[in-house]
């Protein structure tokens, strides 16, 4: 065996942590003030490793990491594999799959190394145990007589003298614990996995590991849960939904899959419905300490000691939307200069958040785990932050989107959806209503369901079930469900609200007629035209009598009836009625009013349905331009007109010679 180049070694002193071995064998070799005899040092130099020696766990199922495996190989062989000049470091949130990636790489390249050794680097003591085990593997007789410090020194000497090895330093907690390896060992490869995103010496290549792609997540979950069997369409749909709830986090997917494989009577859908109770449960044969909740609790314990404010910040983030949380929302937590910035820095260093200069993002499953803490810590702080932020917002434009509102509304929706029933504060509920109205005016009422649900419950609790404002809130909730496509909830809610409005307000009150009209639209959306059309005809006649021929609400009834005729295939009645309604809306409301644009879209679609593409396409082109200017690029009407125009143009082009 040829000794390493002496230029790569350092003189050995009793106090040198970085000293691994002398370039010549004298009376003793020292490391970390441990002296081993010269014959032991010679043994380390002269003992070969049997081909394929390793202490790896079985090969893991590693999906969706092809790019990362290629990156690791390039990083480790950048210098032709002759020496270690950098130790590639894979960092990320606990459970993101760092260990799985490293283990998959190690198995893939077993034949490329003289020895592959896995070191548990979460603490100095664990790393020492792994090194001592290497000595016991290669020199069992000598190791049986030596103490642990001597076995560690022997292992480090062996790595110093023998080229071609791979050492994986898994779950490294403190970069200082790795000084004995970094920059000192040569002739082999080091691969580091860690939760720490920062604090590594310059020159070390690092890569953040992200979550899996949605399809890969569902495939991994099904592979575990169904033991390789082909999933049914229902199982695949449930697997995709569960994978999304788990945030496409590999460890959580493995945990869920193992549980489902063991408990065959529990469906994927049932597991998803009780997700918060499953995050700390492991299947038989799975290390209980490797459940996602316990993995994160280890990091939380470290952070509690290092930065209590970081824990307070994290618990506040748990009640907000997971992505793009403004740092400014958290300013109320900062009682000292830079205290908040330092707390966020700690969380980022441990990969608990993703941090930019202005925003914070957090994994949605970590939020779920944090919200299961008794007492809902952090919720009050989140409510306070959002209340202050919305109190300071100016009124938005009537229909166009507003950046400040668009930034904050997702976090208010998340707070509404995650707060336990009955625990919403009045000061927050009023902002739920204003945010829901903002979404409604921009054609995004489907997103407002959590806000509408809480507002309706609040009105019923404070005003009573039959109060007009309570009935309005129920009607608004039914409309949000309808826009979300949830007709099974929308229709019964409309029907109950209509009955109560007829009883308390009368059959021809404007609010009663509005509910009747929307119920008919819901019937039409459900395909029940036999109930929809007569109800719309009745409502139109009542509105014409009560409100007049050109009242905006009468025009709504006329428009919805025309659309129902079109849905029934009765274009002879639909087209003239749509043309009449459009002309009236242009006169009463104006050319660019959103209701006028709605009429124009539906008239163009009716022309298209009748095969008159020569009139449909120009009308859609005009309407799209007006929608973009008046409502913005993301309004529902803009998206509908853009989609209709694309399909109509394609059909027109195909029909032309």
């Amino acid at each position: 065996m040829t000794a390493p180049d002496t230029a790569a070694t350092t003189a050995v002193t009793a106090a040198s942590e970085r000293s691994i071995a002398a370039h010549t064998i004298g009376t003793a070799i020292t490391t970390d003030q441990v002296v081993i005899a010269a014959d032991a040092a010679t043994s380390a130099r002269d003992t070969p490793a049997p081909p394929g020696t390793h202490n790896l766990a079985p090969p893991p199922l590693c999906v969706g990491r092809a790019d990362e495996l290629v990156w690791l190989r390039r990083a480790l062989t950048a210098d032709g594999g002759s020496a270690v000049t950098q130790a590639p470091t894979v960092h990320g949130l606990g459970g993101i799959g760092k260990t799985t990636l490293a283990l998959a790489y190690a198995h893939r390249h077993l034949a490329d190394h003289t020895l592959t050794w896995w070191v548990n680097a979460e603490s100095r003591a664990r790393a020492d145990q792994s090194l001592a085990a290497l000595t016991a593997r290669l020199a069992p007789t000598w190791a049986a007589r030596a103490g642990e410090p001597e076995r560690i020194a022997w292992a480090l000497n062996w790595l110093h003298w023998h080229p071609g090895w791979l050492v994986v330093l898994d779950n490294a907690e403190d970069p200082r614990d790795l000084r004995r390896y970094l920059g000192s060992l040569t002739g082999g490869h080091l691969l580091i996995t860690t939760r720490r995103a920062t604090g590594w010496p310059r020159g070390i290549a690092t890569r953040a590991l992200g979550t899996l792609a949605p399809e890969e997540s569902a495939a991994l979950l099904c592979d575990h849960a169904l033991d390789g069997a082909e999933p049914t369409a229902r199982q695949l749909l449930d697997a995709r939904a569960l994978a999304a709830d788990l945030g496409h986090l590999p460890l959580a997917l493995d945990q869920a899959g193992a549980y489902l494989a063991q408990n065959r009577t529990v469906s994927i859908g049932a597991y998803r419905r009780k997700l918060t109770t499953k995050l700390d449960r492991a299947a038989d044969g799975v290390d209980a300490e490797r459940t996602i909740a316990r993995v994160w609790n280890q990091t939380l314990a470290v952070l509690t000691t290092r930065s209590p404010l970081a824990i307070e910040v994290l618990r506040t983030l748990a009640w907000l939307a997971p992505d793009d949380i403004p740092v400014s929302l958290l300013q109320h937590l900062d009682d000292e200069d830079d205290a908040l910035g330092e707390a966020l820095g700690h969380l980022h260093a441990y990969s608990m958040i993703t941090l930019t200069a202005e925003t914070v993002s957090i994994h949605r499953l970590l939020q779920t785990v944090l919200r299961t803490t008794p007492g809902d810590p952090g919720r009050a702080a989140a409510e306070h932050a959002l209340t202050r932020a919305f109190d300071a917002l100016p009124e938005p434009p009537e229909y166009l989107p507003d950046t400040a509102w668009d930034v904050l509304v997702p976090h208010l929706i998340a707070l509404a959806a995650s707060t336990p029933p009955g625990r919403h504060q009045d000061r927050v509920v009023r902002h739920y209503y204003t945010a829901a109205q903002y979404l409604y005016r921009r054609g995004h009422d489907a997103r407002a369901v959590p806000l509408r649900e809480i507002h309706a419950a609040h009105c019923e609790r404070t005003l009573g079930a039959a109060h007009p404002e309570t009935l309005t809130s129920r009607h608004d909730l039914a409309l949000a469900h309808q826009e979300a496509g949830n007709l099974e909830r929308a229709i019964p809610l409309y029907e109950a609200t209509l009955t109560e409005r007829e009883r308390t307000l009368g059959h021809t009150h404007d609010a009663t007629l509005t509910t009747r009209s929307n119920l008919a639209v819901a019937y039409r959306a459900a395909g029940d035209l036999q109930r929809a059309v007569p109800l719309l005809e009745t409502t139109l006649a009542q509105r014409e009598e009560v409100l007049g021929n050109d009242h905006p609400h009468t025009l709504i009834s006329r428009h919805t009836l025309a659309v129902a005729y079109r849905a029934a295939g009765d274009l002879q009645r639909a087209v003239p009625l749509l043309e009449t309604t459009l002309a009236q809306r242009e006169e009463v409301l104006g050319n660019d009013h959103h209701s006028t644009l709605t009429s124009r879209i539906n008239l163009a679609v009716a022309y298209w349905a009748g095969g008159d593409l020569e009139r449909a396409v120009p009308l859609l082109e005009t309407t799209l331009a007006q929608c973009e200017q008046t409502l913005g690029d993301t309004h529902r009407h803009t998206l509908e007109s853009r989609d209709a125009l694309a399909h109509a143009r394609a059909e027109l082009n195909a029909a032309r010679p």
Side-chain angles (χ1 to χ4, degrees):
M1 182 72 66
T2 303
D5 187 341
T6 56
T9 62
T10 57
V12 180
T13 64
S16 174
E17 256 195 335
R18 295 175 62 84
S19 299
I20 304 302
H23 68 276
T24 58
I25 302 290
T27 57
I29 298 296
T30 66
T31 178
D32 293 351
Q33 302 183 0
V34 175
V35 179
I36 61 173
D39 60 341
T42 302
S43 168
R45 182 192 66 185
D46 296 340
T47 299
T53 299
H54 70 87
N55 67 334
L56 301 177
L61 179 62
C62 183
V63 299
R65 300 301 192 194
D67 290 345
E68 289 83 356
L69 288 167
V70 170
W71 178 84
L72 280 175
R73 190 59 181 165
R74 288 175 179 169
L76 284 166
T77 58
D79 295 313
S82 60
V84 173
T85 56
Q86 58 182 0
T89 302
V90 177
H91 63 85
L93 178 67
I96 203 73
K98 304 179 296 293
T99 296
T100 297
L101 175 66
L103 185 57
Y105 176 88
H107 274 286
R108 176 176 291 194
H109 295 285
L110 265 177
D112 299 328
H113 299 99
T114 55
L115 171 140
T116 301
W117 204 253
W118 194 273
V119 174
N120 183 340
E122 68 180 32
S123 68
R124 180 68 177 267
R126 292 287 185 90
D128 286 348
Q129 292 172 3
S130 299
L131 287 173
L134 173 58
T135 301
R137 174 73 66 86
L138 298 179
T141 302
W142 183 86
R145 302 192 304 268
E148 183 175 82
E150 289 78 16
R151 294 197 298 272
I152 295 166
W154 192 98
L156 292 170
N157 272 275
W158 190 95
L159 293 171
H160 178 77
W161 286 107
H162 297 265
W165 43 261
L166 170 65
V167 170
V168 180
L169 302 168
D170 183 47
N171 200 25
E173 170 62 29
D174 190 339
R176 293 172 297 181
D177 291 341
L178 306 186
R179 289 174 181 170
R180 65 173 78 183
Y181 310 99
L182 301 177
S184 298
L185 288 175
T186 60
H189 292 161
L190 294 172
L191 169 55
I192 302 168
T193 73
T194 179
R195 293 169 293 177
R196 294 287 297 271
T198 61
W200 297 99
R202 291 183 179 180
I204 286 185
T206 63
R207 179 160 180 146
L209 196 60
T211 55
L212 296 177
E215 287 304 313
E216 292 164 344
S217 297
L220 179 62
L221 184 59
C222 288
D223 188 84
H224 279 308
L226 307 177
D227 198 23
E230 189 71 19
T232 65
R234 177 77 255 178
Q235 288 172 327
L236 186 57
L237 190 64
D238 287 342
R240 287 170 177 162
L242 177 56
D245 289 346
L246 295 173
H248 310 296
L249 195 72
L251 180 58
L253 296 166
D254 285 341
Q255 179 181 333
Y259 179 93
L260 291 165
Q262 176 175 305
N263 300 282
R264 295 302 179 92
T265 61
V266 179
S267 69
I268 297 174
Y271 184 96
R272 183 186 175 217
R273 288 190 292 273
K274 297 183 178 179
L275 180 59
T276 56
T277 68
K278 306 294 186 184
L279 296 176
D280 200 30
R281 295 189 183 182
D284 293 344
V286 177
D287 184 356
E289 294 304 313
R290 290 293 294 164
T291 61
I292 197 66
R294 298 193 190 187
V295 166
W296 285 337
N297 282 338
Q298 295 169 10
T299 306
L300 294 174
V302 173
L303 285 168
T304 299
T305 301
R306 296 194 175 188
S307 175
L309 180 58
I311 295 297
E312 185 178 352
V313 169
L314 199 63
R315 296 198 184 284
T316 302
L317 297 176
W319 299 91
L320 305 174
D323 299 317
D324 300 322
I325 303 165
V327 172
S328 58
L329 260 185
L330 307 170
Q331 292 295 342
H332 69 288
L333 298 173
D334 189 355
D335 56 0
E336 298 180 23
D337 290 343
D338 299 325
L340 175 62
E342 292 171 2
L344 291 171
H346 281 296
L347 294 172
H348 174 62
Y350 277 86
S351 301
M352 300 298 272
I353 62 171
T354 302
L355 184 64
T356 71
E358 298 179 350
T359 63
V360 185
S361 297
I362 178 174
H363 195 279
R364 65 179 66 250
L365 189 59
L366 175 56
Q367 291 180 303
T368 300
V369 170
L370 291 166
R371 289 197 301 266
T372 60
T373 306
D376 300 342
R379 180 169 57 82
E383 290 175 339
H384 178 65
L386 286 169
T387 300
R388 283 175 27 133
F390 274 94
D391 283 344
L393 282 180
E395 282 294 317
E398 182 149 9
Y399 292 108
L400 286 171
D402 181 88
T403 301
W405 280 74
D406 287 342
V407 166
L408 291 175
V409 165
H411 304 295
L412 198 68
I413 294 173
L415 177 64
S418 58
T419 298
R423 299 187 188 179
H424 300 274
Q425 300 298 315
D426 290 351
R427 68 181 189 276
V428 186
V429 173
R430 63 186 173 89
H431 289 306
Y432 290 166
Y433 174 75
T434 57
Q437 291 298 102
Y438 173 82
L439 292 170
Y440 166 72
R441 288 193 295 269
R442 280 147 193 82
H444 298 298
D445 207 25
R447 295 174 53 201
V449 169
L451 305 174
R452 297 290 193 194
E453 286 179 330
I454 294 163
H455 183 249
H458 176 78
C459 288
E460 183 170 349
R461 178 173 57 85
T462 58
L463 301 174
H467 191 279
E469 190 171 333
T470 301
L471 298 178
T472 298
S473 68
R474 286 182 188 164
H475 175 274
D476 292 343
L477 175 57
L479 179 60
H481 281 309
Q482 179 181 341
E483 293 300 320
N486 191 352
L487 296 173
E488 291 182 354
R489 296 194 65 181
I491 289 174
L493 193 53
Y494 274 137
E495 291 172 333
T497 305
L498 176 59
T499 299
E500 194 63 26
R501 276 183 160 171
E502 288 174 339
R503 185 183 70 82
T504 58
L505 302 175
H507 285 262
T508 59
H509 189 279
D510 187 48
T512 305
L513 296 174
T514 298
T515 300
R516 189 174 293 128
S517 177
N518 283 338
L519 173 59
V521 172
Y523 286 153
R524 187 199 75 209
D528 191 353
L529 292 169
Q530 290 185 337
R531 285 201 288 179
V533 171
L535 195 56
L536 285 168
E537 291 173 332
T538 300
T539 305
L540 174 59
Q542 290 174 313
R543 276 182 162 167
E544 288 174 337
E545 181 180 349
V546 174
L547 302 174
N549 192 54
D550 58 358
H551 189 280
H553 290 181
T554 304
L555 299 180
I556 289 174
S557 285
R558 192 168 291 128
H559 171 82
T560 52
L561 176 58
V563 172
Y565 286 153
R566 189 194 72 204
D570 190 352
L571 294 177
Q572 289 185 337
R573 286 200 289 180
V575 171
L577 196 55
L578 283 168
E579 290 173 332
T580 300
T581 306
L582 174 58
Q584 290 177 304
R585 279 179 162 174
E586 288 174 338
E587 181 179 349
V588 174
L589 302 174
N591 197 49
D592 294 330
H593 190 276
H594 74 96
S595 294
T596 306
L597 297 176
T598 303
S599 281
R600 201 168 282 130
I601 293 169
N602 280 287
L603 176 57
V605 172
Y607 287 154
W608 179 13
D612 192 352
L613 289 167
E614 296 294 343
R615 283 201 290 178
V617 170
L619 188 55
L620 284 169
E621 289 172 337
T622 301
T623 307
L624 174 58
Q626 291 173 313
C627 285
E628 289 174 337
Q629 182 178 358
T630 306
L631 304 176
D633 287 336
T634 61
H635 193 281
R636 178 166 57 87
H637 294 337
T638 306
L639 300 175
E640 288 172 352
S641 59
R642 187 177 293 129
D643 182 66
L645 176 59
H647 286 85
R649 275 177 175 167
E651 191 170 320
L652 179 61
N653 291 335
R656 285 173 174 166

